[in-house]
Amino acid sequence: MKILKFGGTSVANAQNIKLVLDIVNTKAKENKLVVVVSALSKVTDLLHQASIKAANNDESYKEIVAEIEKKHLDALKALIPVSEQSGLLSHIKRIINHLETLLEGCFLLGELSNRTTDTILSFGEVLSSYIIAEALKQNLKNSGYKDSRELIKTNNNFGKAAVNFEISDKLIADYFATNESQVVIMPGFIASSLDGINTTLGRGGSDYTAAIIAGALNANDLEIWTDVNGMFTANPKIVKQAQPIATISYQEAMELSHFGAKVLYPPTIQPVLRKNIPILIKNTFEPEAEGTYISNKVTSQINPVKGISHIEHITLITLEGPGMIGVAGSSKRLFEVLSQVNINVIFITQASSEHSICIGILNSDAETAELAINKAFEVEISQNKIDPCIVEKNLCIIALVGENMKNHQGLSGRMFSTLGKNNVNIRAIAQGASERNISAVINERDVKKALNTLHETFFEENTKQLNLFVMGVGNVGEKFIEQIHQQKKYLKENLKINLRVIALSNSRKMYFDEEGISLKDWKSLVENGEKSDSDTFISKVKALNLRNSIFVDITANDSVSKTYDQYLKQNIAVVTCNKIACSSAYYNYKNLKNLSRQFKAPFLFETNVGAGLPIIDTVKHLVASGDKINKIQAVLSGSLNFIFNNFSDTYSFHDVVKEAGVQGFTEPDPKIDLSGVDVARKILILIRESGYQMEIEDIKNNSFLPIECMSTTNNDAFFKSLITYKSHFENLLAEAKSKESRLKFVATFENGKASVGLEFIPKESPFYNLEGKDNIVQFYTDRYIDQPLLIKGAGAGAAVTASGIFADVIRIGNI
Ligand code: ADP
Ligand code: ASP
Ligand code: MG
């Protein structure tokens, strides 16, 4: 004998019921079957809503009844030949009429007892089992129907009645001992009390019905047919990478289901465990998938963690005060009072000082629990020996489950550090002595992030997902996206980094996709996106609350640079090629570095100096290893180098500057480069990264631009002024020639002082042959005394800058 149970989605409509019937017909060829069915998907919820509305005098409950009626009539019409429909349709209508009468009673009385609720909810399974039994009869004549209420007897605890196994087992065994049908269809979830009143086994309880039958009949196995490929390593609706678990022990499955894996109703295991009947979880929509096999075998797997589950809508109640210490029985009293008001305690921790005790319950029980506890400890509270209980709502429990966890060290350490790195605040922790479960209470809004990041740590060979939020998709941004698109596969396979772009924004439009933007059509997605706005952008990034989030600033915008602190404070990393923040007031630069440390959110800006050249990274390594930077000499402006390398008797200063702009080597406002401000910002950043405190005003700027060029207020006027002062630039060139030298814009830091300016560089200097838009930096340190440490290479251009930003992102991936 085999017991099969089909859940709500499996019997949601005629189309799905046909799949169910195919499975049943095939299996019936080899075995006698009992088939337990749930209500059609969502029907129990609809019945619940209708009953509440009716009791609240809201007539719209009738619309819900009409919806329920239609669902069932539609299913029946599609499953049964027209010639045989009429009797069955009137039977359904009679059942619906009965339901309407009950709801009308609630409506008139304005009342809804637990007992009535159970009767109303029972209609879902009554209707579904009737339709399915009739549909099955079409093909399988030797099939029958039995109402579970006649076989499963319970107490009167409406809503979640306790089964009387002694009586039920006997009734079930007796009935099937004489039953000849090859298949018997039965409704799940519903039962009756000894005096014949309708009861239910708790929401999701059809699984339990099937297990009760399996246990009573000593079935060969119990198959739970649902809408997923088995019990997964985490809820597959929340963790996309979750995988079905092939085999799992009863204890582990019980632990996972108790901690929220809805795929199996927790009490289901008990009746089959006693008889050692294995459970197979299968997918109605993919019957060929293997599913999950639950038995008494503990499989020794390399991974001691079997799954991660969670329970939402949790409230923590803490009872504390000096009166708790050493006074025997405080916890006993606490649990007694909760049990008196019928509240299920899901989670318990007690500090070893006995100073406080903390319990986790459902949000819906919070008010009742608070009142009951404060009442029970009224005397101690009035004497200030115990504080009124502290109630924290909207939390969530997450749990790692695995039988073999007890044989492995460091799992809880890994669990908590993974959460910590993602800024998930842990409110309470519990680990059972069996060590089959380590659970933590966190904020509900962090649950998706927590589950995904834990899943990554324990199941995905350490693949790390990085979620990028990119602002600025001009020249550099475009190259950056191209590079990500090209390297995505390589990074996943070789570095185990799963890089996803979640948001892209330019100054006009922005586009978000929580699942990762398809990079091949990113341009049209952004163009058709919503109006961009920095504040909305930040709130969206925060609300998504994705793990390993990185904000990437590829703008040269002042206001964007002022938002970094908001990201860092949310544990969101910042990668930027925008120099404004790091060259602004020292306290601001320092504040961002501190926030980065405090919130464990990397703040990287390698491209602020020398585009993709590893200059800042080198400084960091020198400083970290104890070296001291004493002197820096550098040509740090790729644009100015390009300009002075090309400026000649035949190529005017004005034309070269124009060309540099066209090629993307200058800032959008070329004056920032030509005035030396850009170079001053860069040397300032290097000085600060070397460990010195300095402000931009402390850097002497020996500008080569005539004051009239400097004071222009827009690009047009600036370019005109370059023509007007043509001879000024020609004189500089002539002077360089006469000195057999070349013009280079040099930044220097020595003896605590810094300056930038145009210099005549003689042939013997390493700066003399600096080509194109290259940069060069020389560091003189305690260790590099005579021969400086030298870094040289292309220091401007979209592709190299993009690759520098990319390198920063990868650095974060490797942390
Ligand atoms: P049925 O109606 O078939 O009883 P349920 O909705 O009760 O189905 O249970 C199946 C659902 O359980 C899945 O669709 C999935 O969303 C949810 N679920 C939660 N945790 C897990 C898990 N660890 N493995 C599989 N499914 C899970
Ligand atoms: N129909 C019931 C519910 O929705 C029982 C079940 O589906 O298991 O809770
Ligand atoms: Mg279920």
PDB file of all heavy atoms in Angstrom, residues 108-123:
ATOM      1  N   LEU A 108     -25.077  37.393  10.291  1.00  0.00           N
ATOM      2  CA  LEU A 108     -26.195  37.855  11.117  1.00  0.00           C
ATOM      3  C   LEU A 108     -25.805  37.990  12.581  1.00  0.00           C
ATOM      4  O   LEU A 108     -26.181  38.947  13.257  1.00  0.00           O
ATOM      5  CB  LEU A 108     -27.374  36.882  10.981  1.00  0.00           C
ATOM      6  CG  LEU A 108     -28.016  36.857   9.592  1.00  0.00           C
ATOM      7  CD1 LEU A 108     -29.057  35.752   9.503  1.00  0.00           C
ATOM      8  CD2 LEU A 108     -28.656  38.212   9.284  1.00  0.00           C
ATOM      9  N   LEU A 109     -24.989  37.041  13.036  1.00  0.00           N
ATOM     10  CA  LEU A 109     -24.608  37.078  14.453  1.00  0.00           C
ATOM     11  C   LEU A 109     -23.428  37.998  14.716  1.00  0.00           C
ATOM     12  O   LEU A 109     -23.159  38.396  15.846  1.00  0.00           O
ATOM     13  CB  LEU A 109     -24.238  35.663  14.929  1.00  0.00           C
ATOM     14  CG  LEU A 109     -25.380  34.647  14.979  1.00  0.00           C
ATOM     15  CD1 LEU A 109     -24.835  33.251  15.166  1.00  0.00           C
ATOM     16  CD2 LEU A 109     -26.325  35.004  16.117  1.00  0.00           C
ATOM     17  N   GLY A 110     -22.696  38.301  13.649  1.00  0.00           N
ATOM     18  CA  GLY A 110     -21.469  39.109  13.831  1.00  0.00           C
ATOM     19  C   GLY A 110     -20.475  38.361  14.698  1.00  0.00           C
ATOM     20  O   GLY A 110     -19.771  38.957  15.520  1.00  0.00           O
ATOM     21  N   GLU A 111     -20.366  37.087  14.486  1.00  0.00           N
ATOM     22  CA  GLU A 111     -19.566  36.276  15.395  1.00  0.00           C
ATOM     23  C   GLU A 111     -18.917  35.124  14.622  1.00  0.00           C
ATOM     24  O   GLU A 111     -19.479  34.619  13.652  1.00  0.00           O
ATOM     25  CB  GLU A 111     -20.507  35.702  16.459  1.00  0.00           C
ATOM     26  CG  GLU A 111     -19.812  35.041  17.612  1.00  0.00           C
ATOM     27  CD  GLU A 111     -20.849  34.409  18.529  1.00  0.00           C
ATOM     28  OE1 GLU A 111     -21.266  33.275  18.262  1.00  0.00           O
ATOM     29  OE2 GLU A 111     -21.235  35.072  19.486  1.00  0.00           O
ATOM     30  N   LEU A 112     -17.741  34.733  15.082  1.00  0.00           N
ATOM     31  CA  LEU A 112     -17.056  33.617  14.417  1.00  0.00           C
ATOM     32  C   LEU A 112     -16.238  32.871  15.470  1.00  0.00           C
ATOM     33  O   LEU A 112     -15.212  33.373  15.930  1.00  0.00           O
ATOM     34  CB  LEU A 112     -16.132  34.167  13.315  1.00  0.00           C
ATOM     35  CG  LEU A 112     -15.326  33.164  12.523  1.00  0.00           C
ATOM     36  CD1 LEU A 112     -16.227  32.279  11.671  1.00  0.00           C
ATOM     37  CD2 LEU A 112     -14.341  33.896  11.616  1.00  0.00           C
ATOM     38  N   SER A 113     -16.698  31.708  15.841  1.00  0.00           N
ATOM     39  CA  SER A 113     -15.925  30.960  16.852  1.00  0.00           C
ATOM     40  C   SER A 113     -14.894  30.089  16.149  1.00  0.00           C
ATOM     41  O   SER A 113     -14.959  29.882  14.941  1.00  0.00           O
ATOM     42  CB  SER A 113     -16.876  30.062  17.639  1.00  0.00           C
ATOM     43  OG  SER A 113     -17.375  29.060  16.769  1.00  0.00           O
ATOM     44  N   ASN A 114     -13.926  29.580  16.928  1.00  0.00           N
ATOM     45  CA  ASN A 114     -12.924  28.686  16.348  1.00  0.00           C
ATOM     46  C   ASN A 114     -13.593  27.444  15.775  1.00  0.00           C
ATOM     47  O   ASN A 114     -13.171  26.918  14.751  1.00  0.00           O
ATOM     48  CB  ASN A 114     -11.909  28.261  17.414  1.00  0.00           C
ATOM     49  CG  ASN A 114     -11.042  29.431  17.819  1.00  0.00           C
ATOM     50  OD1 ASN A 114     -10.996  30.434  17.099  1.00  0.00           O
ATOM     51  ND2 ASN A 114     -10.385  29.319  18.960  1.00  0.00           N
ATOM     52  N   ARG A 115     -14.615  27.016  16.458  1.00  0.00           N
ATOM     53  CA  ARG A 115     -15.331  25.817  16.008  1.00  0.00           C
ATOM     54  C   ARG A 115     -15.964  26.052  14.631  1.00  0.00           C
ATOM     55  O   ARG A 115     -15.817  25.245  13.706  1.00  0.00           O
ATOM     56  CB  ARG A 115     -16.399  25.468  17.056  1.00  0.00           C
ATOM     57  CG  ARG A 115     -17.299  24.369  16.630  1.00  0.00           C
ATOM     58  CD  ARG A 115     -18.254  24.015  17.760  1.00  0.00           C
ATOM     59  NE  ARG A 115     -19.407  23.296  17.205  1.00  0.00           N
ATOM     60  CZ  ARG A 115     -20.287  22.649  17.929  1.00  0.00           C
ATOM     61  NH1 ARG A 115     -20.169  22.629  19.242  1.00  0.00           N
ATOM     62  NH2 ARG A 115     -21.291  22.032  17.365  1.00  0.00           N
ATOM     63  N   THR A 116     -16.638  27.211  14.485  1.00  0.00           N
ATOM     64  CA  THR A 116     -17.253  27.512  13.188  1.00  0.00           C
ATOM     65  C   THR A 116     -16.185  27.685  12.118  1.00  0.00           C
ATOM     66  O   THR A 116     -16.349  27.247  10.975  1.00  0.00           O
ATOM     67  CB  THR A 116     -18.116  28.793  13.308  1.00  0.00           C
ATOM     68  OG1 THR A 116     -18.959  28.633  14.445  1.00  0.00           O
ATOM     69  CG2 THR A 116     -18.922  29.041  12.070  1.00  0.00           C
ATOM     70  N   THR A 117     -15.075  28.332  12.474  1.00  0.00           N
ATOM     71  CA  THR A 117     -14.001  28.520  11.492  1.00  0.00           C
ATOM     72  C   THR A 117     -13.582  27.174  10.924  1.00  0.00           C
ATOM     73  O   THR A 117     -13.431  27.011   9.712  1.00  0.00           O
ATOM     74  CB  THR A 117     -12.772  29.195  12.163  1.00  0.00           C
ATOM     75  OG1 THR A 117     -13.191  30.444  12.668  1.00  0.00           O
ATOM     76  CG2 THR A 117     -11.642  29.391  11.176  1.00  0.00           C
ATOM     77  N   ASP A 118     -13.386  26.193  11.790  1.00  0.00           N
ATOM     78  CA  ASP A 118     -12.955  24.885  11.308  1.00  0.00           C
ATOM     79  C   ASP A 118     -13.962  24.285  10.324  1.00  0.00           C
ATOM     80  O   ASP A 118     -13.589  23.727   9.299  1.00  0.00           O
ATOM     81  CB  ASP A 118     -12.735  23.930  12.484  1.00  0.00           C
ATOM     82  CG  ASP A 118     -11.273  23.957  12.935  1.00  0.00           C
ATOM     83  OD1 ASP A 118     -10.536  24.825  12.431  1.00  0.00           O
ATOM     84  OD2 ASP A 118     -10.879  23.113  13.762  1.00  0.00           O
ATOM     85  N   THR A 119     -15.238  24.436  10.642  1.00  0.00           N
ATOM     86  CA  THR A 119     -16.249  23.885   9.727  1.00  0.00           C
ATOM     87  C   THR A 119     -16.203  24.605   8.384  1.00  0.00           C
ATOM     88  O   THR A 119     -16.251  23.977   7.328  1.00  0.00           O
ATOM     89  CB  THR A 119     -17.647  23.984  10.366  1.00  0.00           C
ATOM     90  OG1 THR A 119     -17.647  23.165  11.526  1.00  0.00           O
ATOM     91  CG2 THR A 119     -18.732  23.504   9.408  1.00  0.00           C
ATOM     92  N   ILE A 120     -16.051  25.937   8.449  1.00  0.00           N
ATOM     93  CA  ILE A 120     -16.011  26.684   7.179  1.00  0.00           C
ATOM     94  C   ILE A 120     -14.758  26.292   6.367  1.00  0.00           C
ATOM     95  O   ILE A 120     -14.838  26.045   5.167  1.00  0.00           O
ATOM     96  CB  ILE A 120     -16.073  28.206   7.457  1.00  0.00           C
ATOM     97  CG1 ILE A 120     -17.470  28.545   8.004  1.00  0.00           C
ATOM     98  CG2 ILE A 120     -15.760  29.009   6.211  1.00  0.00           C
ATOM     99  CD1 ILE A 120     -17.652  29.969   8.465  1.00  0.00           C
ATOM    100  N   LEU A 121     -13.613  26.202   7.033  1.00  0.00           N
ATOM    101  CA  LEU A 121     -12.389  25.861   6.304  1.00  0.00           C
ATOM    102  C   LEU A 121     -12.438  24.455   5.708  1.00  0.00           C
ATOM    103  O   LEU A 121     -11.795  24.164   4.713  1.00  0.00           O
ATOM    104  CB  LEU A 121     -11.158  25.977   7.221  1.00  0.00           C
ATOM    105  CG  LEU A 121     -10.801  27.370   7.740  1.00  0.00           C
ATOM    106  CD1 LEU A 121      -9.403  27.370   8.330  1.00  0.00           C
ATOM    107  CD2 LEU A 121     -10.886  28.434   6.649  1.00  0.00           C
ATOM    108  N   SER A 122     -13.234  23.582   6.334  1.00  0.00           N
ATOM    109  CA  SER A 122     -13.269  22.192   5.852  1.00  0.00           C
ATOM    110  C   SER A 122     -13.855  22.082   4.443  1.00  0.00           C
ATOM    111  O   SER A 122     -13.625  21.113   3.736  1.00  0.00           O
ATOM    112  CB  SER A 122     -14.060  21.317   6.827  1.00  0.00           C
ATOM    113  OG  SER A 122     -15.442  21.606   6.699  1.00  0.00           O
ATOM    114  N   PHE A 123     -14.592  23.123   4.016  1.00  0.00           N
ATOM    115  CA  PHE A 123     -15.227  23.048   2.692  1.00  0.00           C
ATOM    116  C   PHE A 123     -14.212  22.924   1.554  1.00  0.00           C
ATOM    117  O   PHE A 123     -14.514  22.351   0.513  1.00  0.00           O
ATOM    118  CB  PHE A 123     -16.130  24.282   2.461  1.00  0.00           C
ATOM    119  CG  PHE A 123     -17.463  24.143   3.115  1.00  0.00           C
ATOM    120  CD1 PHE A 123     -17.609  24.343   4.481  1.00  0.00           C
ATOM    121  CD2 PHE A 123     -18.584  23.765   2.379  1.00  0.00           C
ATOM    122  CE1 PHE A 123     -18.844  24.184   5.111  1.00  0.00           C
ATOM    123  CE2 PHE A 123     -19.823  23.604   2.982  1.00  0.00           C
ATOM    124  CZ  PHE A 123     -19.947  23.815   4.354  1.00  0.00           C
TER     125      PHE A 123
END
